[in-house]
Structure formats: structure tokens, C-alpha cells
Amino acid sequence: MPSPPAQTKQQRGRQGEDDALAYLLRQGLVLLARNYLCKGGELDLIMRDGASIVFVEVRLRSGTAYGGALASITPAKQRRMVVAAQTWLLGQKRLPACRFDALCIDGGHISWLKNILDM
């Protein structure tokens, strides 16, 4: 019997986002949007944590070589996250408290890092 085909990078990324979402839901956060796209940026997950809005970047790496998942959030990626968050916030009736979190999955181990950048 042939082995199943290997997952593509896109399939692994989608599975990582699914795992991250399930993890955050178990922590009591509420999903507001997934894969929010705008000109100049993208946000993997937009969640509510109590009264705060949380913009979540999900990073998946097979291991911690080269700094692991967190190290892959480059300054350019951070700028795109901020642009996307600002664009999303423009559509809100009032400006809520907000923060940027990273959910890093390194070799199957999940780390939730809160407030990784200032807006």
C-alpha cells in the first residue's frame, strides 16, 4: 500500500493555524476573523480576549534551528501586521484595547507569546 502524499507547505500552514485556533479557543479567546487580508498586510487570526482585540501571527517550524518560529517574524512582517491591524481597526465603531500575540509551533510544541510588538 503506498504511503500518503506528503503535505504541502500550504497544507501544513493551514493545519498549524487550525491547531493555533483550537488552542486559543481552549484558552477562552473568541474568534473574530481568520486570514484577514488588506492592501499591504495580512493577519492570521483576530481574536477577542475579554475587552481586548488580539492580532495573532501563527508561525510553524519543524524545529528550533535558525531561531525557530518566533525568529521568522521579521521587521518587514511586523510592519505588514501593523498595517493590517490599522486597516481592520478603521472599520470598528470604537477603538478597543489591542495587542499583537504570536503563537509559535516549533516541532509540535506550542508557545503563546503575548504583546510581541507595540503599535
Side-chain angles (χ1 to χ4, degrees):
M1 180 176 206
S3 61
Q7 283 186 318
T8 66
K9 185 177 179 180
Q10 186 176 24
Q11 289 169 324
R12 284 190 307 272
R14 180 68 181 191
Q15 182 63 54
E17 283 185 12
D18 290 345
D19 293 346
L21 177 57
Y23 177 87
L24 293 170
L25 290 172
R26 285 192 306 271
Q27 306 308 312
L29 278 70
V30 176
L31 179 65
L32 300 178
R34 184 172 180 167
N35 298 118
Y36 174 79
L37 293 169
C38 68
K39 185 176 180 171
E42 184 243 343
L43 296 164
D44 295 328
L45 300 169
I46 302 173
M47 312 281 297
R48 188 174 63 242
D49 185 8
S52 296
I53 300 300
V54 183
F55 303 107
V56 182
E57 177 65 17
V58 178
R59 290 302 210 188
L60 174 69
R61 294 292 180 268
S62 57
T64 57
Y66 308 106
L70 182 61
S72 71
I73 304 175
T74 64
K77 176 60 182 170
Q78 292 171 26
R79 285 190 296 275
R80 290 190 301 272
M81 291 166 57
V82 169
V83 166
Q86 289 171 332
T87 302
W88 186 85
L89 288 166
L90 285 173
Q92 305 308 300
K93 291 183 175 130
R94 63 178 186 80
L95 187 62
C98 55
R99 69 176 193 257
F100 290 92
D101 289 2
L103 203 124
C104 299
I105 306 171
D106 288 298
H109 175 75
I110 294 177
S111 298
W112 179 15
L113 305 163
K114 296 181 182 180
N115 207 27
I116 63 166
L117 3 144
D118 293 322
M119 192 163 146

